[in-house]
Amino acid sequence: MTISSLDSATVTLQQLIDANKSQQQKLAEQLTAMIAASMQEASNQVGSDQSQSIAHIPFQQFRLDNRQLEVNDVFVLLKSQTANPQKSRDYLLQAAEQAAFILSEIDPSILLSEAKSSSNASSEPQTDSIASMQQIAALPCPVLYVPNIRDFLGSLIQVRLQYQQPVTLPTVVAVTGTNGKTTISQLVAQLTQLMGQSSAVMGTAGNGRLGALVQASHTTGDALAVQQFLYQMGTEKAEILALEASSHGLDQQRLQGMPVTVAIYTNLSRDHLDYHADMAEYAAAKAKLFDKAHFPDLTHAIINIDDEHAQVMLDMANDSGLTVWTYSLDSSKAATFVAADITPSLQGVKINLRTDFGDDKADNIEIVSPLLGRFNVANLLAAIAAVVALDTNLAINIERIAPAVAQLQGAVGRMQRVPSNDGCFIVDYAHTPDALSQVLASLKTHCKGQLWAVFGCGGDRDAGKRPLMAQAGLEGADQVILTADNPRTEDPNVILQDMQAGMTAEQYQRTHIEPARQTAIEYAVSHSGVDDIVVIAGKGHETYQEINNVRYDFDDSVVLQQALSQAGRV
């Protein structure tokens, strides 16, 4: 039974409680408390004649978007990250016309009284309160204030999906960090599939089974989208789901209720400081993935101890009583998984994998990977550790993994080499200073000629990152072309001006400014030499460029292929 076929079936909250008392006792308790609160609220509302408890109101599905709401659905009104009381009030009133009932994270009495007060500044507070309660009571459906709804929303959605047609859900491996999430999640899915398990992925590059990904708008979707996808993968018999856990998704509890068994931490560098107040807050959001209070199915934490913020994750994982495994590219460190020797080439890399399990067969294994870049060695270690964590037979597992590594493919737009007769042309998603530095450092050792970097910065995002991106490019590359990324609603020339802050005369001499991204790519192709390496960075897998709220078709790899063809280099 698919999700769409459940839409016509109805259920009540009491039925969900009764069906899940043994398996989901905590959820049943939370729902019971919520229902009791609804009865108390109804009795307090002036003029209320809503005598029927929401426990026994039949409904179909939960909806988080009022545009998708159908008659007898339950609407869940969540706080917006950009507070807009008027818009939230409009959502509430519109949804009330169709919903079976509404669960609101925002206090509806305050929402309605604020709206009334803004139009009548002379109103008495007590009168406004009574008036708003009367407004709530007069709505076509019950409205319940549930300030902690995010603490159990994912679980609630999943038990609703499971009610008519129970399915076995995939085991979940979740990856968090600034860089590497997409590659690691795809490598985990590929390795488990190569070893005989049915796998799926969810993240920036798309959601679905390997080879059939559907592009997503967010790295981590909302709680409804996440739970629907998990359920759908269960119906398709996927055994493993590897997903990216963004800091936004963790902070907003979009992954609540996901059966995460293995959690991976890659690294932390400057990003999303337009959302998080500072790096400490950013790290704290990531650390939630290792908190068993949030993810009770957790067994293993896999953590990159080469990263300066690793201790925050280690502390949380240890406090949660998890089995903690570490990985490192530094052979002097006592990590669980270490790349003791790394021999890179433009065809890939040869690695001597050292483990500390005390098993002769598993402790030293030579692995050949087709993935480019030193940082992809770290990504590979994390993926291997996750696959080992899914199976208790360590030696057999690691021995089976080694030959499978040779068959791996990098994620689209991650160190993706575009074919050419001469030179080397790479498309990569690197859009943070740290990621760009790592990409350039990895390729520099292979470059006989000059290393070129073509990149920009996104509009309507952390402006403080812009000069740091430019400096990362100038420090790592011989020639730099600054261009547009996704300017969104900003003027690309203003973004480019921000990026040039602090540049020296010497740096200007090896920098070319070209706002039009296609022209910038064509310039790199026509001016680079046969022994040069050119990196087109920042957009990777994306197939669009967002300008003034419009997404235009634009795929770096396609534009690059066309430029190479026009230049006679393919």
Side-chain angles (χ1 to χ4, degrees):
M1 180 181 289
T2 63
I3 294 169
S4 59
S5 66
L6 294 175
D7 286 349
S8 60
T10 61
V11 69
T12 67
L13 289 177
Q14 190 60 55
Q15 287 174 317
L16 293 181
I17 292 172
D18 294 340
N20 288 277
K21 280 180 179 176
S22 57
Q23 305 98 326
Q24 294 265 6
Q25 183 181 357
K26 184 177 179 181
L27 176 62
E29 292 171 353
Q30 289 167 318
L31 288 178
T32 301
M34 185 181 77
I35 290 166
S38 77
M39 296 295 289
Q40 182 64 41
E41 272 194 32
S43 66
N44 290 338
Q45 287 175 2
V46 178
S48 173
D49 59 358
Q50 295 173 350
S51 57
Q52 184 183 22
S53 165
I54 63 168
H56 302 290
I57 299 177
F59 67 92
Q60 293 174 349
Q61 293 297 321
F62 293 99
R63 303 291 181 191
L64 307 186
D65 186 337
N66 69 320
R67 294 169 297 184
Q68 299 174 352
L69 192 67
E70 297 182 4
V71 175
N72 291 329
D73 282 339
V74 173
F75 180 57
V76 182
L77 178 61
L78 298 176
K79 294 177 183 176
S80 170
Q81 296 309 304
T82 55
N84 188 330
Q86 181 60 49
K87 189 170 285 188
S88 295
R89 178 176 178 271
D90 290 344
Y91 292 157
L92 176 70
L93 296 177
Q94 291 165 14
E97 297 296 327
Q98 293 190 49
F101 55 90
I102 296 173
L103 305 178
S104 177
E105 185 185 25
I106 311 168
D107 188 336
S109 64
I110 294 177
L111 192 62
L112 294 173
S113 64
E114 282 181 350
K116 186 174 181 62
S117 295
S118 63
S119 61
N120 184 5
S122 63
S123 297
E124 292 292 331
Q126 186 177 6
T127 304
D128 285 345
S129 177
I130 294 172
S132 63
M133 292 173 67
Q134 289 174 329
Q135 281 183 278
I136 296 171
L139 290 172
C141 74
V143 180
L144 177 61
Y145 174 41
V146 192
N148 66 330
I149 184 67
R150 292 179 194 252
D151 291 346
F152 58 91
L153 179 58
S155 298
L156 178 57
I157 292 169
Q158 189 55 234
V159 299
R160 167 65 191 101
L161 291 169
Q162 294 274 352
Y163 184 76
Q164 257 86 21
Q165 183 65 46
V167 300
T168 300
L169 299 176
T171 297
V172 177
V173 176
V175 191
T176 198
T178 306
N179 305 311
K181 297 188 297 295
T182 299
T183 296
I184 293 172
S185 59
Q186 297 231 353
L187 295 182
V188 169
Q190 288 183 50
L191 284 172
T192 51
Q193 190 121 314
L194 287 167
M195 295 173 68
Q197 292 180 291
S198 178
S199 304
V201 294
M202 183 173 78
T204 310
N207 303 335
R209 310 301 291 277
L210 290 176
L213 300 185
V214 177
Q215 187 62 54
S217 59
H218 294 83
T219 300
T220 306
D222 65 35
L224 179 62
V226 165
Q227 293 297 333
Q228 286 180 330
F229 179 73
L230 176 68
Y231 181 81
Q232 189 65 47
M233 292 302 97
T235 64
E236 295 181 18
K237 310 298 183 186
E239 297 170 273
I240 304 294
L241 172 59
L243 63 83
E244 300 176 48
S246 70
S247 61
H248 293 67
L250 289 165
D251 184 58
Q252 297 168 20
Q253 295 179 269
R254 298 184 210 158
L255 291 174
Q256 192 283 319
M258 290 295 280
V260 178
T261 300
V262 179
I264 301 172
Y265 170 73
T266 63
N267 50 63
L268 206 67
S269 62
R270 179 166 182 147
D271 200 13
H272 304 306
L273 293 189
D274 52 328
Y275 178 87
H276 300 288
D278 50 35
M279 291 298 291
E281 185 180 289
Y282 185 23
K286 296 290 190 186
K288 289 181 180 180
L289 184 60
F290 304 92
D291 187 347
K292 207 172 174 72
H294 289 296
F295 300 99
D297 293 312
L298 274 173
T299 61
H300 288 73
I302 296 167
I303 296 171
N304 174 19
I305 59 168
D306 293 340
D307 183 74
E308 62 178 312
H309 298 277
Q311 194 61 48
V312 178
M313 315 302 152
L314 288 167
D315 290 344
M316 181 64 76
N318 285 318
D319 288 346
S320 291
L322 306 182
T323 296
V324 179
W325 290 348
T326 57
Y327 64 97
S328 174
L329 300 186
D330 185 344
S331 60
S332 67
K333 290 185 178 179
T336 318
F337 294 81
V338 178
D341 294 297
I342 303 171
T343 308
S345 73
L346 283 177
Q347 284 67 51
V349 63
K350 184 167 68 174
I351 309 159
N352 178 29
L353 173 63
R354 188 184 73 208
T355 66
D356 69 353
F357 293 119
D359 187 304
D360 291 340
K361 291 183 178 180
D363 282 353
N364 284 283
I365 296 179
E366 185 175 280
I367 292 176
V368 177
S369 165
L371 304 178
L372 295 175
R374 181 180 173 86
F375 59 89
N376 268 331
V377 176
N379 292 338
L380 181 60
L381 292 185
I384 289 173
V387 176
V388 173
L390 295 171
D391 189 333
T392 55
N393 196 331
L394 301 173
I396 293 176
N397 207 349
I398 294 178
E399 283 194 312
R400 289 174 60 204
I401 289 172
V405 169
Q407 302 177 57
L408 293 175
Q409 298 177 355
V412 174
R414 268 67 174 179
M415 288 292 273
Q416 177 184 349
R417 189 169 183 177
V418 175
S420 59
N421 292 333
D422 57 64
C424 177
F425 296 87
I426 303 288
V427 171
D428 192 82
Y429 189 54
H431 61 282
T432 67
D434 179 62
L436 185 60
S437 295
Q438 289 194 45
V439 166
L440 296 175
S442 292
L443 293 173
K444 188 69 173 176
T445 56
H446 306 294
C447 193
K448 297 178 181 177
Q450 290 192 314
L451 179 59
W452 293 66
V454 183
F455 61 94
C457 287
D460 302 331
R461 298 292 187 269
D462 177 18
K465 187 175 75 173
R466 293 169 185 174
L468 303 180
M469 278 290 290
Q471 289 301 315
L474 286 161
E475 289 170 12
D478 302 298
Q479 299 292 331
V480 165
I481 303 175
L482 300 182
T483 188
D485 190 282
N486 288 317
R488 300 184 177 88
T489 64
E490 284 195 72
D491 181 346
N493 291 295
V494 173
I495 299 173
L496 290 169
Q497 194 63 45
D498 289 345
M499 294 180 73
Q500 296 171 59
M503 282 175 56
T504 66
E506 182 276 331
Q507 289 176 329
Y508 268 114
Q509 287 181 350
R510 51 193 181 90
T511 301
H512 181 74
I513 312 294
E514 176 49 68
R517 194 172 180 89
Q518 179 175 337
T519 305
I521 292 172
E522 291 170 349
Y523 182 92
V525 170
S526 62
H527 286 76
S528 59
V530 296
D531 292 325
D532 293 353
I533 297 178
V534 177
V535 181
I536 315 296
K539 288 172 55 58
H541 64 283
E542 292 178 353
T543 57
Y544 63 85
Q545 188 174 31
E546 187 174 338
I547 304 172
N548 291 325
N549 297 316
V550 178
R551 289 190 171 187
Y552 297 91
D553 289 341
F554 198 103
D555 185 324
D556 278 355
S557 63
V558 172
V559 173
L560 178 56
Q561 287 169 350
Q562 292 170 344
L564 288 166
S565 179
Q566 291 169 3
R569 300 188 71 168
V570 289

